């Protein structure tokens, strides 16, 4: 970040240096000769010190302008009755007047203006060669050298304050608009959560209840039917748990447990439900677990859930192989299952694979989905880039 304070200080010193060189050079070239006496040296050194003071802090602007006004009054008195008097500070008094008008509050600024105007009047009346000067020229000189810089300083400060007020008003307006949008989003999320609860949760709960009742009402035997009904119960409970998490998110609850979505840590639970439904599954992990970004962790779980659901619905019933590889710069999930040629082209399968590809692309990963060369197995492989550790 740029050092603004240091830049302002350097600019102030540059302005002071220009005023010093201009006033001292003009005084040495067109002013009284240095051989005239010590009074000339006092005026010259006074002008140098007054211009150097222009580089000081803005809170001393009143004292600096007073010093310039005092020098304007003292110089003609010290050099009297030298003819063709040259004003002791020219550029410096302009900057001092501007600073007094720009940086001081009303009363100190007016006091500084009065001192500078008095000094300008004195330096125009005291010299012997200006006693009969036209008063109109006097007013013009005083207005240009004293009043005008002060007024420009006051205008600059007022304009800066006005712009700051506009910026504050704009920031407040943006904050109010953002707050209104946030409230609207919160209300909409609440409405969606309520609708999801009314439309989905009741039906999913009813599915689980009826599946449990049907299982309990079965006669002895029928192990395959019992396993299927148990899978329906387990799936409905898992769906309700996921739905509650999503509803809590939509409601904006701050409970960390409620907001936590399932990740790879819940993969074993997902496979247990799959095995309960009668589909054998085997998980193999390589490379040792690593801490993954939450978005990637959730995405991998959802992709595995979608792929395993497709295997359950459209597979031939053979074993499902899940391979999870933690590599140096990526994590790769591969799911392979047997599938019949007719089921490979099922519309629901295509939609599921499209959803997997979209989820992977959202987080900058790569996906390979499709049948293997033998035509009997289907593979879903996704990879997400990770920072090397």
């Amino acid at each position: 970040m740029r050092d603004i304070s240091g830049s302002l200080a350097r600019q102030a010193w540059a302005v002071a240096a220009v005023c010093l060189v201009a006033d001292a050079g003009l005084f040495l070239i067109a002013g009284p000769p240095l051989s005239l006496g010590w009074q000339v040296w006092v005026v010259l050194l006074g002008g140098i010190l007054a211009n150097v003071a222009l580089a000081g802090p803005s809170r001393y602007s009143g004292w600096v302008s007073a010093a310039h006004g005092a020098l304007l009054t003292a110089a003609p008195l010290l050099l009297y009755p030298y003819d063709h008097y040259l004003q002791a500070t020219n550029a410096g008094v302009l900057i001092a007047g501007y600073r007094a008008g720009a940086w001081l509050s009303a009363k100190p600024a007016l006091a500084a203006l009065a001192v500078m105007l008095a000094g300008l009047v004195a330096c125009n009346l005291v010299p012997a060669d200006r006693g009969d000067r036209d008063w109109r020229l006097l007013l013009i000189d005083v207005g240009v050298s004293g009043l005008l810089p002060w007024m420009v300083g006051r205008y600059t400060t007022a304009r800066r304050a006005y712009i700051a007020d506009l910026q504050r008003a704009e920031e407040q307006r943006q904050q109010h608009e953002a707050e209104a949008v946030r409230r609207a989003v919160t209300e909409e999320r609440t409405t969606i959560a309520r609708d999801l609860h009314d439309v989905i949760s009741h039906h999913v709960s009813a599915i689980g209840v009826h599946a449990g009742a049907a299982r309990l009402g079965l006669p002895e035997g029928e192990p395959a039917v019992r396993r299927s009904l148990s899978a329906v119960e387990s799936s409905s409970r898992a769906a309700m748990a996921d739905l509650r998490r999503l509803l809590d998110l939509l409601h904006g609850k701050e409970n960390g447990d409620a907001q936590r979505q399932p990740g790879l840590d819940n993969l074993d639970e997902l496979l247990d439900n799959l095995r309960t439904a009668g589909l054998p599954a085997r998980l193999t992990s390589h490379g040792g677990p690593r801490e993954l970004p939450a978005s990637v962790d959730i995405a991998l779980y959802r992709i595995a859930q979608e792929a395993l659901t497709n295997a359950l619905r459209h597979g031939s019933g053979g074993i499902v192989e899940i391979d999870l590889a933690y590599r140096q710069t990526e994590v790769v999930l591969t799911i392979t299952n047997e599938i019949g040629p007719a089921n490979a082209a099922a519309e629901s399968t295509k939609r599921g694979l499209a959803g997997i590809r979209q989820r992977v692309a959202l987080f900058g990963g790569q996906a390979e989905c499709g049948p293997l060369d033998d035509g009997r197995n289907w593979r879903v492989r996704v990879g997400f880039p990770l920072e090397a550790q």
Side-chain angles (χ1 to χ4, degrees):
M1 183 179 293
R2 185 182 176 187
D3 184 5
I4 300 299
S5 60
S7 176
L8 292 176
R10 289 190 293 272
Q11 293 180 36
W13 277 107
V15 171
V18 171
C19 292
L20 189 153
V21 172
D23 288 344
L26 187 61
F27 189 82
L28 291 174
I29 294 172
L34 297 179
S35 60
L36 190 64
W38 61 268
Q39 296 90 339
V40 180
W41 287 98
V42 171
V43 174
L44 178 60
L45 292 176
I48 292 174
L49 294 175
N51 283 327
V52 170
L54 292 173
S58 59
R59 61 179 179 274
Y60 298 135
S61 298
W63 295 104
V64 174
S65 61
H68 280 269
L71 180 63
L72 290 172
T73 303
L77 295 176
L78 289 172
L79 300 178
Y80 185 85
Y82 176 75
D83 292 338
H84 309 295
Y85 168 74
L86 180 68
Q87 186 172 312
T89 172
N90 294 274
V93 72
L94 299 177
I95 302 302
Y98 172 83
R99 282 165 54 93
W103 295 109
L104 299 177
S105 57
K107 290 183 179 179
L110 290 173
L113 175 64
V115 172
M116 285 190 298
L117 293 180
L120 288 168
V121 171
C123 76
N124 278 278
L125 295 180
V126 172
D129 64 333
R130 300 190 184 184
D132 57 349
R133 189 179 184 187
D134 191 329
W135 64 271
R136 291 170 295 183
L137 296 178
L138 171 63
L139 290 179
I140 293 173
D141 188 17
V142 171
V144 170
S145 299
L147 183 59
L148 183 59
W150 185 89
M151 293 178 64
V152 172
R154 299 305 292 178
Y155 167 78
T156 301
T157 299
R159 184 174 182 275
R160 187 183 300 114
Y162 174 70
I163 293 175
D165 289 340
L166 289 180
Q167 291 176 342
R168 283 193 295 270
E170 179 64 18
E171 290 175 357
Q172 291 177 355
R173 184 188 66 81
Q174 292 178 355
Q175 291 176 356
H176 292 160
E177 289 181 353
E179 180 64 21
V181 171
R182 189 192 65 79
R183 287 197 299 268
V185 170
T186 301
E187 293 174 359
E188 184 66 19
R189 289 171 65 176
T190 301
T191 302
I192 294 173
R194 185 167 52 250
D195 292 343
L196 280 175
H197 182 272
D198 294 342
V199 174
I200 299 176
S201 64
H202 294 309
H203 295 293
V204 174
S205 298
I207 290 172
V209 170
H210 287 298
R215 179 177 57 81
L216 294 175
L218 284 175
E220 294 297 329
E222 304 292 341
V225 177
R226 289 182 180 274
R227 283 197 302 270
S228 297
L229 292 175
S230 296
V232 172
E233 291 182 78
S234 299
S235 297
S236 64
R237 285 194 296 269
M240 284 301 300
D242 286 347
L243 183 59
R244 289 192 184 97
R245 294 190 187 101
L246 292 175
L247 293 178
D248 288 337
L249 282 172
L250 289 173
H251 278 300
K253 292 185 178 181
E254 300 295 332
N255 188 319
D257 294 335
Q259 288 195 6
R260 182 188 178 278
Q261 295 195 58
L264 292 180
D265 291 340
N266 305 98
L267 202 55
D268 289 332
E269 178 183 348
L270 182 63
L271 296 180
D272 289 340
N273 293 334
L274 194 69
R275 297 185 186 103
T276 303
L279 187 65
R282 180 168 55 222
L283 172 64
T284 306
S285 181
H286 306 280
R290 285 179 54 183
E291 184 176 353
L292 303 177
S295 57
V296 173
D297 191 35
I298 297 171
L300 286 170
Y301 177 85
R302 294 302 185 189
I303 291 170
Q305 187 179 43
E306 179 66 27
L308 292 173
T309 300
N310 286 337
L312 180 62
R313 296 174 61 186
H314 307 295
S316 61
I319 189 169
V320 179
E321 296 285 351
I322 302 99
D323 185 88
L324 180 61
Y326 295 93
R327 299 176 181 173
Q328 187 70 14
T329 59
E330 63 177 348
V331 56
V332 178
L333 176 66
T334 306
I335 300 175
T336 307
N337 65 280
E338 294 183 2
I339 189 168
N343 290 334
E347 191 65 27
S348 58
T349 301
K350 294 180 180 179
R351 288 196 299 269
L353 296 180
I356 290 175
R357 292 190 181 96
Q358 291 176 358
R359 189 183 293 271
V360 172
L362 182 64
F363 298 104
Q366 294 182 345
E368 299 177 6
C369 306
L372 298 180
D373 295 337
D374 57 11
R376 297 178 57 252
N377 292 292
W378 188 279
R379 182 176 66 188
V380 174
R381 173 178 290 175
V382 297
F384 292 94
L386 301 174
E387 293 183 1
Q389 293 183 354

